[in-house]
Amino acid sequence: MSDNAQLQQWFAAVDTDRSGRISVTELQEALLLGNLQFSLAVCAQMIRLHDRSNTNSLDVQDFMALHKFLEEMNQSFQMHDQDRSGSLNAHETHSALTSAGFNLEPPAFAEMCRAFDPERKGQISYAPYIAMTLFLRCAANAFQAFDSSKMGRVNLDFSQFIYAASNCR
């Protein structure tokens, strides 16, 4: 059976109302079936990033795009987990994010690591790594929406800042 056929079956198994779209709770259930445990907030962020129709749900094509993203992030995580500990230290995290195209200045990187490592262990496991990459993608999308001149700088008033920040959580 092809990967697409398997993904379609997986999608159909959790589309309990047979709407052709899965909600945030159905997505969370789908990910649990794949042994991936994420909070509803992270699942909602996944939907915001991959929902092409702005319905706060995913169709099967959106679901396949999300699956591809998760596979790419898993490969990146595994490749940069040099000591095979199941988590990334700061150096490994920086390397993984840089290879994914996120070039952060040291203070921004350090603060982001603190935000996704609330126990301050200096290690980022897989689920927080995914949450971090989702945050960065959302932040990049929000930034690009305000960077109309493509100069890498934006000017935001407080309402615009709140709008942008709200789309990243």
Side-chain angles (χ1 to χ4, degrees):
M1 179 180 295
S2 75
D3 282 348
N4 282 350
Q6 285 181 319
L7 288 173
Q8 288 171 344
Q9 280 187 334
W10 189 8
F11 180 90
V14 295
D15 180 16
T16 55
D17 62 2
R18 303 292 175 239
S19 66
R21 304 197 69 78
I22 57 173
S23 67
V24 67
T25 53
E26 289 170 325
L27 175 60
Q28 187 181 43
E29 178 62 29
L31 295 170
L32 278 172
L33 290 173
N35 293 320
L36 299 171
Q37 186 171 353
F38 295 103
S39 70
L40 281 175
V42 170
C43 290
Q45 195 169 36
M46 289 177 186
I47 288 176
R48 275 194 303 279
L49 271 174
H50 294 89
D51 172 21
R52 296 168 297 138
S53 60
N54 295 320
T55 59
N56 293 319
S57 60
L58 300 177
D59 66 19
V60 71
Q61 295 302 317
D62 298 334
F63 182 72
M64 287 182 187
L66 171 60
H67 184 264
K68 182 179 179 208
F69 166 78
L70 291 172
E71 279 188 331
E72 289 170 357
M73 292 303 101
N74 183 52
Q75 288 172 357
S76 174
F77 185 91
Q78 297 302 326
M79 182 173 68
H80 290 92
D81 182 14
Q82 296 171 350
D83 61 1
R84 303 292 176 239
S85 64
S87 60
L88 303 178
N89 63 32
H91 174 74
E92 292 167 334
T93 302
H94 187 267
S95 180
L97 293 178
T98 300
S99 73
F102 299 109
N103 298 309
L104 300 171
E105 293 179 9
F109 173 74
E111 191 57 36
M112 191 185 57
C113 285
R114 279 191 285 280
F116 288 91
D117 180 19
E119 295 178 21
R120 307 292 191 258
K121 292 182 178 180
Q123 301 285 318
I124 303 290
S125 61
Y126 181 70
Y129 175 75
I130 293 299
M132 181 185 290
T133 59
L134 289 166
F135 167 78
L136 285 169
R137 288 231 174 149
C138 286
N141 290 347
F143 185 87
Q144 289 169 359
F146 287 102
D147 186 18
S148 58
S149 63
K150 306 298 180 223
M151 299 296 290
R153 300 238 179 252
V154 296
N155 239 347
L156 303 176
D157 64 31
F158 187 67
S159 290
Q160 290 170 318
F161 173 75
I162 294 301
Y163 174 83
S166 295
N167 280 298
C168 295
R169 58 177 294 278

